[in-house]
mmCIF file of all heavy atoms in Angstrom:
data_model
loop_
_atom_site.group_PDB
_atom_site.id
_atom_site.type_symbol
_atom_site.label_atom_id
_atom_site.label_comp_id
_atom_site.label_asym_id
_atom_site.label_seq_id
_atom_site.Cartn_x
_atom_site.Cartn_y
_atom_site.Cartn_z
ATOM 1 N N ILE A 41 13.219 5.702 -3.979
ATOM 2 C CA ILE A 41 13.278 4.602 -2.997
ATOM 3 C C ILE A 41 14.584 3.785 -3.263
ATOM 4 O O ILE A 41 14.802 3.286 -4.326
ATOM 5 C CB ILE A 41 12.092 3.670 -3.073
ATOM 6 C CG1 ILE A 41 10.838 4.432 -2.666
ATOM 7 C CG2 ILE A 41 12.231 2.485 -2.104
ATOM 8 C CD1 ILE A 41 9.885 4.641 -3.724
ATOM 9 N N VAL A 95 5.370 -7.754 -19.093
ATOM 10 C CA VAL A 95 5.200 -6.985 -20.369
ATOM 11 C C VAL A 95 4.116 -5.915 -20.222
ATOM 12 O O VAL A 95 3.031 -6.220 -19.693
ATOM 13 C CB VAL A 95 4.804 -7.963 -21.506
ATOM 14 C CG1 VAL A 95 4.617 -7.247 -22.821
ATOM 15 C CG2 VAL A 95 5.906 -9.062 -21.635
ATOM 16 N N ALA A 179 22.401 -0.492 -1.756
ATOM 17 C CA ALA A 179 23.425 0.569 -1.495
ATOM 18 C C ALA A 179 24.786 -0.103 -1.337
ATOM 19 O O ALA A 179 24.897 -1.073 -0.547
ATOM 20 C CB ALA A 179 23.042 1.359 -0.282
ATOM 21 N N GLY A 201 11.858 20.023 -0.211
ATOM 22 C CA GLY A 201 10.449 19.704 -0.196
ATOM 23 C C GLY A 201 9.910 19.224 -1.572
ATOM 24 O O GLY A 201 8.723 18.920 -1.674
ATOM 25 N N ARG A 323 -13.949 -21.291 0.732
ATOM 26 C CA ARG A 323 -13.833 -22.329 -0.258
ATOM 27 C C ARG A 323 -12.403 -22.625 -0.637
ATOM 28 O O ARG A 323 -11.562 -21.727 -0.412
ATOM 29 C CB ARG A 323 -14.640 -21.931 -1.490
ATOM 30 C CG ARG A 323 -16.139 -21.971 -1.182
ATOM 31 C CD ARG A 323 -16.919 -22.092 -2.428
ATOM 32 N NE ARG A 323 -16.922 -20.815 -3.172
ATOM 33 C CZ ARG A 323 -17.374 -20.716 -4.418
ATOM 34 N NH1 ARG A 323 -17.803 -21.768 -5.047
ATOM 35 N NH2 ARG A 323 -17.357 -19.510 -5.018
ATOM 36 N N ASP A 338 8.972 -16.607 -8.282
ATOM 37 C CA ASP A 338 8.946 -15.323 -8.976
ATOM 38 C C ASP A 338 8.901 -15.476 -10.485
ATOM 39 O O ASP A 338 8.522 -14.472 -11.220
ATOM 40 C CB ASP A 338 10.195 -14.499 -8.618
ATOM 41 C CG ASP A 338 9.996 -13.663 -7.363
ATOM 42 O OD1 ASP A 338 8.850 -13.780 -6.760
ATOM 43 O OD2 ASP A 338 10.926 -12.946 -6.968
ATOM 44 N N HIS A 349 -6.214 -12.702 -7.155
ATOM 45 C CA HIS A 349 -7.301 -11.773 -7.466
ATOM 46 C C HIS A 349 -8.613 -12.510 -7.591
ATOM 47 O O HIS A 349 -9.637 -12.083 -7.157
ATOM 48 C CB HIS A 349 -6.961 -10.971 -8.721
ATOM 49 C CG HIS A 349 -5.654 -10.233 -8.726
ATOM 50 N ND1 HIS A 349 -4.961 -9.869 -9.802
ATOM 51 C CD2 HIS A 349 -4.942 -9.817 -7.612
ATOM 52 C CE1 HIS A 349 -3.846 -9.218 -9.426
ATOM 53 N NE2 HIS A 349 -3.837 -9.166 -8.119
ATOM 54 N N ALA A 353 -12.145 -12.292 -5.410
ATOM 55 C CA ALA A 353 -13.480 -12.088 -5.972
ATOM 56 C C ALA A 353 -14.442 -13.227 -5.597
ATOM 57 O O ALA A 353 -15.622 -12.907 -5.372
ATOM 58 C CB ALA A 353 -13.377 -11.962 -7.529
ATOM 59 N N SER A 355 -14.066 -15.282 -2.964
ATOM 60 C CA SER A 355 -13.902 -15.712 -1.584
ATOM 61 C C SER A 355 -13.390 -17.168 -1.504
ATOM 62 O O SER A 355 -13.957 -18.018 -0.833
ATOM 63 C CB SER A 355 -15.167 -15.564 -0.786
ATOM 64 O OG SER A 355 -15.155 -14.317 -0.185
ATOM 65 N N ARG A 390 12.906 -27.785 -23.654
ATOM 66 C CA ARG A 390 12.860 -28.497 -22.371
ATOM 67 C C ARG A 390 11.469 -28.377 -21.782
ATOM 68 O O ARG A 390 10.929 -27.306 -21.665
ATOM 69 C CB ARG A 390 13.893 -27.958 -21.398
ATOM 70 C CG ARG A 390 13.953 -28.708 -20.108
ATOM 71 C CD ARG A 390 15.057 -28.301 -19.193
ATOM 72 N NE ARG A 390 14.793 -27.020 -18.537
ATOM 73 C CZ ARG A 390 14.016 -26.877 -17.476
ATOM 74 N NH1 ARG A 390 13.370 -27.894 -16.926
ATOM 75 N NH2 ARG A 390 13.875 -25.660 -16.930
ATOM 76 N N ALA A 397 1.959 -33.820 -22.225
ATOM 77 C CA ALA A 397 1.382 -34.938 -21.431
ATOM 78 C C ALA A 397 0.397 -34.419 -20.420
ATOM 79 O O ALA A 397 -0.679 -35.010 -20.205
ATOM 80 C CB ALA A 397 2.517 -35.701 -20.697
ATOM 81 N N ALA A 398 0.712 -33.292 -19.807
ATOM 82 C CA ALA A 398 -0.177 -32.695 -18.791
ATOM 83 C C ALA A 398 -1.511 -32.284 -19.429
ATOM 84 O O ALA A 398 -2.610 -32.558 -18.913
ATOM 85 C CB ALA A 398 0.476 -31.426 -18.150
ATOM 86 N N ILE A 447 2.029 -25.297 -35.270
ATOM 87 C CA ILE A 447 2.447 -24.009 -34.805
ATOM 88 C C ILE A 447 3.726 -23.665 -35.555
ATOM 89 O O ILE A 447 4.608 -24.478 -35.683
ATOM 90 C CB ILE A 447 2.808 -24.070 -33.234
ATOM 91 C CG1 ILE A 447 1.649 -24.637 -32.416
ATOM 92 C CG2 ILE A 447 3.260 -22.687 -32.702
ATOM 93 C CD1 ILE A 447 0.460 -23.774 -32.322
ATOM 94 N N HIS A 550 -8.884 -11.502 -14.010
ATOM 95 C CA HIS A 550 -9.002 -11.764 -15.433
ATOM 96 C C HIS A 550 -10.091 -12.833 -15.722
ATOM 97 O O HIS A 550 -10.123 -13.879 -15.069
ATOM 98 C CB HIS A 550 -7.678 -12.250 -15.961
ATOM 99 C CG HIS A 550 -7.665 -12.281 -17.447
ATOM 100 N ND1 HIS A 550 -8.262 -13.170 -18.239
ATOM 101 C CD2 HIS A 550 -7.166 -11.339 -18.327
ATOM 102 C CE1 HIS A 550 -8.122 -12.894 -19.477
ATOM 103 N NE2 HIS A 550 -7.458 -11.748 -19.560
#
Side-chain angles (χ1 to χ4, degrees):
I41 295 114
V95 181
R323 290 200 287 169
D338 273 0
H349 303 157
S355 268
R390 185 174 74 80
I447 306 291
H550 195 282

